[in-house]
Amino acid sequence: VFQCAMADSQQRWRWIGGSAIFILHAVVCFELGRHLARRRRYQPQAEKDNGQHRPKLSSRQRKARSAAAKAAATPVAEARFESCPSVEQVEKVLAQRTDRLVVVVEGSCDARNEAAIIRAADVLGVQYVCIIADPAGLKNLEFAEGIVAGADRYVTVRHFADIDECVAELRRAGYQLWATDLSPEAECISELKSPLPEKIALILGREADGISKPLLEQADRRMYLQLRGFTESLNVAVAGALCVDSLLQLMPDCRGLPEAIREDLRQEWLGDAAVQRLRLTDVEKDPAFDAYEWHTHVATGMLNGS
C-alpha cells in the first residue's frame, strides 16, 4: 500500500512539474510575441530605398522632414521674401528710431537674454545695443536665433571686450551712464521727472549678481524698478524692456536719427531687401559682379521709385 501511495505521489508531482513547465513556456512565447508585435508596430519591416533601410516615422517626424525638404527646395531669396521690408516700412521705422537712448548689457552668460534684449530694443525703437561680454562664454546659443526673430538685422549691436573700452566710447559720444541697481543710492525709475539728459546709456547687469563694481562706480546715476508683487526679481530682458519703455516715455522728443545715420541704415536695409526681392542669383554668378555697388544701385533705385 505504501509503495502504491509513493508511486501515485511521484506521478502527481511529475504531472504538476510538467504542467508548470508548459505554462512557463506558454507565458514566454506570449511575451515574446507581444515584443515582436510592438517592434513591428514602431519599426515595421524596412523598405528599401536606393539600397538603404528606412524605418517608419511618426507623424511629427514626417511633418518635420516635409518642411525641411520644402525649405531646401525653395531659393533663399524666395524663402526670405516675405520678411523683406518695403520702402514704406523702412521709412516708418526710421522715423521712430532713436540714438539718444542706448542699451548696454554687461557680462550676460545666457544668449537667450541677449537675444530678447535686442528684440525688445527693435520693438521699442532703440537703434544701438552695446554688449560687454565674451561670446565664447555664452550658453544656449542654439535658442538665440529663434528668440531674436531677425531683430539683429535691424538693430546695431556693438561688442566690447572690456568695460573700459565701452565706457570710453560712450563718454566720447556724450552719453550719461545710468545703471540698474538695488543699492540705497538708487532712485525709483517711476519717480524720475522730465527733462532727462540729452543722451543716456542704460546699463543692465548679469543675471545672477547684476552690474559689476568697476562699472557701477563709473555710473552717473542708479535706478531701480518698483516691484509690487511677491516675486522679488525680474528676468534681465524683461527688466531692461520695462526700463527702456519708462525712459522713452520721459523723452517724448527723442524719436528720429541724424540724417547721415538714417541714410546708412536705409541703404543697408533696403539694399538687402532689394537683392532678395529681385532674386539676383543669376546676376551674382557673374565673376565681374560687384555686390556692394549693385546693392547701393538697387537701393537707390527703390528710393527713387524705379
Side-chain angles (χ1 to χ4, degrees), residues 62-283:
R62 286 197 300 272
K63 289 180 181 178
R65 177 171 291 187
S66 175
K70 183 178 179 181
T74 304
V76 175
E78 184 176 346
R80 295 180 59 189
F81 179 78
E82 294 181 357
S83 65
C84 296
S86 65
V87 176
E88 293 77 11
Q89 288 175 316
V90 167
E91 293 302 323
K92 182 179 178 181
V93 170
L94 283 175
Q96 297 296 318
R97 279 292 203 254
T98 182
D99 63 344
R100 288 181 52 188
L101 180 61
V102 173
V103 177
V104 181
V105 184
E106 187 211 8
S108 174
C109 60
D110 196 328
R112 296 174 299 183
N113 288 333
E114 283 190 5
I117 291 171
I118 295 171
R119 183 172 178 176
D122 177 51
V123 170
L124 295 172
V126 175
Q127 182 57 41
Y128 295 98
V129 174
C130 301
I131 296 178
I132 311 172
D134 178 12
L138 287 175
K139 62 181 181 180
N140 297 317
L141 285 169
E142 64 274 17
F143 302 109
E145 185 176 355
I147 294 174
V148 77
D152 54 337
R153 288 189 290 168
Y154 306 111
V155 174
T156 304
V157 181
R158 295 198 58 186
H159 292 269
F160 295 90
D162 54 52
I163 295 172
D164 294 335
E165 181 186 358
C166 181
V167 170
E169 183 69 23
L170 292 171
R171 296 291 191 195
R172 191 179 304 115
Y175 286 93
Q176 285 196 19
L177 305 184
W178 286 24
T180 53
D181 186 34
L182 295 176
S183 65
E185 296 83 5
E187 306 172 65
C188 181
I189 195 170
S190 61
E191 297 176 1
L192 298 177
K193 304 296 182 181
S194 297
L196 298 185
E198 182 68 19
K199 291 185 175 182
I200 298 174
L202 174 66
I203 306 174
L204 305 175
R206 287 183 288 265
E207 293 85 348
D209 53 358
I211 300 173
S212 64
K213 186 177 180 180
L215 182 55
L216 198 58
E217 290 175 347
Q218 301 191 57
D220 300 302
R221 201 167 185 175
R222 304 181 188 186
M223 57 187 180
Y224 66 91
L225 281 169
Q226 185 174 0
L227 304 180
R228 298 177 173 85
F230 293 104
T231 307
E232 297 181 353
S233 64
L234 283 171
N235 173 271
V236 63
V238 176
L242 291 174
C243 289
V244 168
D245 185 59
S246 298
L247 292 176
L248 289 176
Q249 291 183 30
L250 297 173
M251 304 167 69
D253 58 342
C254 70
R255 301 293 179 180
L257 296 170
E259 186 54 37
I261 297 177
R262 288 166 62 96
E263 184 61 26
D264 289 341
L265 293 174
R266 188 181 289 119
Q267 296 288 345
E268 179 184 343
W269 297 349
L270 287 178
D272 181 56
V275 171
Q276 296 176 43
R277 287 178 182 279
L278 296 178
R279 298 180 175 89
L280 301 178
T281 53
D282 294 334
V283 179

Side-chain angles (χ1 to χ4, degrees), residues 42-85:
Y42 294 103
Q43 291 184 342
Q45 186 174 3
E47 300 174 0
K48 290 188 176 181
D49 183 18
N50 297 327
Q52 306 242 348
H53 291 286
R54 184 175 57 191
K56 183 179 178 181
L57 301 176
S58 65
S59 59
R60 179 178 298 179
Q61 290 172 324
R62 286 197 300 272
K63 289 180 181 178
R65 177 171 291 187
S66 175
K70 183 178 179 181
T74 304
V76 175
E78 184 176 346
R80 295 180 59 189
F81 179 78
E82 294 181 357
S83 65
C84 296

